[in-house]
């Protein structure tokens, strides 16, 4: 009774492997092709949207300053962004240092491995 069951399981495993290999052909993404040359309209649209994105905050701050507001908001926004970037850099450095230290601890406890 063991031989037919073994043959059946072997055949099922081989069939599943063949189906898996056949389905892998569609899993890979083709290599990227060079982009087509952009048209003049597409370039103009991209340039205008970029200019609008850069001008919108400036116009908002200018309107605020015209109403008697201050220029501290843009200045402190830049300082806050600098602090955020600095803290992110320090945090990732500390995290990598802790991970490296634990790795070295493990290696020092079992040097023969």
């Amino acid at each position: 009774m063991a031989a037919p069951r073994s043959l059946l399981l072997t055949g099922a495993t081989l069939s599943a492997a063949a189906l898996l290999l056949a389905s892998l052909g569609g899993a890979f993404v083709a290599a990227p092709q060079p982009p087509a040359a952009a048209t003049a309209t597409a370039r103009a649209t991209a340039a205008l949207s970029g200019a609008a994105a850069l001008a919108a905050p400036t116009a908002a701050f200018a309107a605020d300053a015209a109403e008697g507001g201050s220029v501290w908001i843009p200045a402190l926004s830049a300082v806050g962004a600098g602090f955020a970037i600095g803290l992110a850099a320090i945090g990732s450095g500390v995290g990598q240092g802790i991970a490296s230290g634990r790795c070295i601890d493990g290696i020092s406890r079992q040097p023969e491995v």
Side-chain angles (χ1 to χ4, degrees), residues 1-16:
M1 185 71 181
R5 184 177 66 180
S6 176
L7 288 174
L8 182 65
L9 289 175
T10 302
T13 304
L14 288 175
S15 299

Side-chain angles (χ1 to χ4, degrees), residues 3-88:
R5 184 177 66 180
S6 176
L7 288 174
L8 182 65
L9 289 175
T10 302
T13 304
L14 288 175
S15 299
L19 286 173
L20 178 68
L21 287 175
S23 68
L24 284 180
F28 296 105
V29 178
Q33 301 297 323
T39 62
T41 307
R43 281 190 229 133
T45 304
L48 286 176
S49 63
L54 290 174
T58 305
F61 289 134
D64 186 40
E67 295 173 0
S70 67
V71 295
W72 286 101
I73 294 173
L76 292 178
S77 297
V79 170
F83 279 133
I85 292 170
L87 288 175

